Amino acid sequence: MLDPFPPSAFTWEHAAHLLNRAGFGGTPEEVDSLRRMGLPDAVDFLVDYQKTPDDYAAPAWSVPDPAEVEQIRLLRGMRKGSQERIDLQRKIYKTYSQRMVQLHEWWLERMRTTGRPLQEKMTLFWHGLFATSHTKVRNPLLMWQQNEAFRQRAVGQWNDLLLAMAQSPAMLLWLDGNQSKKGAPNENFAREVMELFTLGEGHYTEQDIKESARAFTGWHTDAFTGKFYAIPAQFDKGRKTYLGQTGNFSGEEVIGILAREPRSSEYVWERLWRYFGSEEPNPGVSSALALQFQQSGLEFKPVLRTLFLSREFYAPGVVRAQVKGPVQWLVGSCRSLERTLPPTGPTYQMMKRLGQVVFAPPSVKGWDSGVSWISTNTLLDRYNFAAYLVHGRPLGSGAGGKQNPVEKAAAKMGMAEGGDHPQPVAFQGVDVRKLFSPDELANPDALLAALERRCIQAKLPDDRLASLKSFLSAQKSSNPETVRGAIRLLMSTPDYQLT
């Protein structure tokens, strides 16, 4: 069991840390609210998020349009290789590409506006663990369905989530489960579910892969409608030996064995500690969390509550020691600055350059994290995009690199042609009069204190504070554009890249 953090020691900075890690940060007023609740109630508020109403609308196209269903029917009746079929297929995939860009924005906007930050933070975690990309699935409906499956099971049962992913139409297409049948089992999902999703290398054998692949035979999905179905005649009913157990296992039974395997509890809590706590492994913490997970019936919610109430979560080496991922950087910036996302196309291109396009992880391993988010190029991009977010002016950088169809669609959505590259269109800059009081805007010292409180929830090092003060002193501090300049400078410090 972890050591509980004393509620009496719960400060404003601890409340900010909780909101940053269990969500995407927020305004000073939101941190104030958590601080006033006190630690136990603040954690309950975040973990018991079902008590908070959620009426975020699904994409309009999440309900199949009869006209589109008819198009698919026509497509399937056309001769393969015919020009008519090629033209219709191009038309469908062009629509799908545009919808993927919309879906990308839909989720980021949900993260920005949600009253259930932990639910979205866990949804992002599961997306990174069960990394599935639209570049192969090529159907926004299936990607949205999988995203909803993560959301609905975000803090639920491990077995339930694993089975939902095993039978997810997007996953079946992504790891070729759709092609698996008796006598010719496909081993991709059987391998990755152990290597990357539940156990890690060295905790299973090649025979376990072969045997479990047989259990997953006969599962299929319709690539356009996303309907899951099983073909009994294609299922291998023979005896199988899997992780030391023998029987005529079905795919559902193999998933159950895997969920109950103690190593899978350790693996997923190692990953969750890295996600919520620290990039530095802490075997003692993750083992304690995994043990409670086993004892609580493989349910995530009670163990997350323990984590957020623990002394280890608020240790000095954990608070403000995590590099923000691009999604955390963008969504957190918009939440703390009380501003909207940039237009659709520029947002997509921004996230591409920063290295985290949701629904398009770089591989089945998902994204690397920690310091890998930062390179010379991405750090420069963060500085440039900080200017875009704060001032709302177009940047000097374009999309760059070879574009896939979805990226081309993004480039045409909210982008203006300019020079060799499309340029992001201008949009509304930060409203500084909403963020700061007249007294703060009139006094550089008060403004700097308010900036620290809103943007990093900590004190800047003396040299960087002096630089900002020098900048403000040389300007008219009540000028909105000058204040925006100060925000941008603060967002360009190393301190702002941490959470």
Side-chain angles (χ1 to χ4, degrees):
M1 183 62 69
L2 302 185
D3 189 15
F5 187 78
S8 60
F10 187 60
T11 65
W12 193 89
E13 288 74 17
H14 292 133
H17 170 66
L18 176 61
L19 190 58
N20 286 334
R21 296 294 178 85
F24 302 93
T27 65
E29 292 74 22
E30 289 173 313
V31 179
D32 287 341
S33 176
L34 278 189
R35 172 66 187 90
R36 285 194 300 271
M37 290 180 193
L39 178 59
D41 287 349
V43 170
D44 286 349
F45 170 75
L46 291 165
V47 173
D48 296 326
Y49 55 74
Q50 291 88 347
K51 298 176 182 177
T52 302
D54 176 36
D55 56 359
Y56 197 79
W61 41 261
S62 61
V63 178
D65 181 342
E68 290 189 12
V69 174
E70 178 61 17
Q71 273 191 335
I72 300 302
R73 191 189 68 76
L74 288 173
L75 181 75
R76 288 174 170 165
M78 294 175 182
R79 182 174 56 82
K80 288 186 177 179
S82 68
Q83 191 60 48
E84 185 182 26
R85 180 186 174 99
I86 291 171
D87 290 344
L88 182 54
Q89 207 159 26
R90 282 177 178 165
K91 179 181 177 182
I92 292 171
Y93 283 131
K94 181 179 179 181
T95 300
Y96 282 4
S97 295
Q98 293 169 343
R99 288 178 180 174
M100 277 314 309
V101 180
Q102 295 165 357
L103 184 61
H104 178 267
E105 182 189 42
W106 176 89
W107 190 13
L108 291 176
E109 180 66 6
R110 186 165 191 158
M111 294 184 218
R112 187 187 74 82
T113 59
T114 184
R116 299 177 170 189
L118 180 61
Q119 186 178 33
E120 292 309 312
K121 198 68 179 279
M122 285 298 294
T123 301
L124 183 61
F125 172 78
W126 295 128
H127 178 46
L129 182 65
F130 297 98
T132 308
S133 174
H134 73 76
T135 56
K136 181 173 179 179
V137 177
R138 302 187 71 181
N139 186 325
L141 176 64
L142 273 53
M143 298 302 297
W144 173 77
Q145 288 175 341
Q146 187 189 60
N147 186 257
E148 275 298 294
F150 291 142
R151 185 168 295 104
Q152 297 308 317
R153 296 164 180 80
V155 296
Q157 297 284 334
W158 189 211
N159 184 83
D160 184 37
L161 179 64
L162 280 176
L163 183 58
M165 287 306 100
Q167 296 182 339
S168 159
M171 184 66 78
L172 284 166
L173 292 173
W174 174 238
L175 291 180
D176 306 312
N178 220 25
Q179 305 169 15
S180 194
K181 58 185 178 181
K182 181 181 179 181
N186 188 291
E187 297 179 1
N188 285 355
F189 178 75
R191 179 183 302 279
E192 305 303 4
V193 72
M194 290 187 286
E195 180 177 331
L196 298 176
F197 305 160
T198 59
L199 301 178
E201 290 186 45
H203 296 277
Y204 59 89
T205 66
E206 284 297 307
Q207 194 62 25
D208 288 326
I209 296 172
K210 294 181 184 300
E211 295 285 78
S212 58
R214 292 172 51 211
F216 295 129
T217 49
W219 286 359
H220 296 275
T221 186
D222 186 295
F224 286 99
T225 66
K227 181 182 178 183
F228 170 83
Y229 60 97
I231 300 180
Q234 293 184 2
F235 171 61
D236 184 337
K237 301 176 182 176
R239 287 173 67 80
K240 310 162 185 87
T241 297
Y242 179 65
L243 295 177
Q245 299 185 45
T246 300
N248 299 78
F249 296 134
S250 64
E252 289 88 344
E253 289 169 322
V254 162
I255 289 296
I257 293 170
L258 196 51
R260 293 188 296 274
E261 176 69 27
R263 172 57 198 164
S264 78
S265 296
E266 294 173 2
Y267 181 84
V268 75
W269 281 101
E270 287 169 1
R271 293 286 297 261
L272 282 164
W273 169 251
R274 285 177 57 194
Y275 187 68
F276 286 115
S278 170
E279 278 294 309
E280 289 296 320
N282 189 327
V285 170
S286 51
S287 292
L289 294 169
L291 179 60
Q292 185 189 348
F293 187 55
Q294 290 272 323
Q295 294 170 342
S296 61
L298 305 180
E299 184 183 2
F300 287 96
K301 181 190 284 191
V303 192
L304 285 167
R305 193 189 312 274
T306 297
L307 172 61
F308 297 139
L309 289 170
S310 72
R311 186 184 292 275
E312 288 79 0
F313 181 70
Y314 299 96
V318 171
V319 176
R320 290 199 48 73
Q322 187 183 69
V323 177
K324 294 175 183 172
V327 169
Q328 181 85 25
W329 182 90
L330 175 63
V331 174
S333 297
C334 290
R335 288 180 73 106
S336 65
L337 296 175
E338 301 181 47
R339 67 146 311 117
T340 59
L341 290 170
T344 304
T347 296
Y348 191 95
Q349 300 293 356
M350 178 189 297
M351 299 309 289
K352 179 190 173 188
R353 291 183 69 97
L354 294 179
Q356 192 177 24
V357 176
V358 293
F359 300 107
S363 73
V364 70
K365 293 181 179 179
W367 291 276
D368 292 330
S369 57
V371 295
S372 64
W373 288 123
I374 300 294
S375 67
T376 303
N377 289 337
T378 59
L379 190 58
L380 180 61
D381 284 333
R382 286 190 183 207
Y383 297 165
N384 287 331
F385 293 139
Y388 188 41
L389 279 180
V390 174
H391 295 284
R393 288 200 294 266
L395 302 175
S397 55
K402 186 177 180 181
Q403 295 179 320
N404 65 37
V406 176
E407 290 158 2
K408 289 179 181 176
K412 294 178 180 176
M413 298 167 66
M415 312 288 280
E417 295 300 323
D420 295 332
H421 301 290
Q423 304 292 310
V425 296
F427 69 119
Q428 186 66 43
V430 165
D431 183 354
V432 299
R433 300 192 189 283
K434 183 172 70 175
L435 304 184
F436 305 106
S437 69
D439 289 343
E440 289 168 339
L441 291 172
N443 183 319
D445 289 334
L447 179 60
L448 285 173
L451 274 171
E452 289 175 324
R453 186 175 172 86
R454 179 173 292 275
C455 295
I456 62 172
Q457 300 94 39
K459 290 291 183 185
L460 279 167
D462 289 344
D463 57 339
R464 288 194 271 278
L465 187 63
S467 296
L468 271 177
K469 190 170 184 179
S470 175
F471 169 79
L472 285 174
S473 298
Q475 313 290 325
K476 295 180 181 178
S477 62
S478 59
N479 183 318
E481 199 61 8
T482 298
V483 178
R484 292 189 189 105
I487 298 172
R488 177 196 174 185
L489 288 174
L490 193 151
M491 291 177 69
S492 300
T493 63
D495 313 275
Y496 190 78
Q497 315 315 317
L498 299 175
T499 182

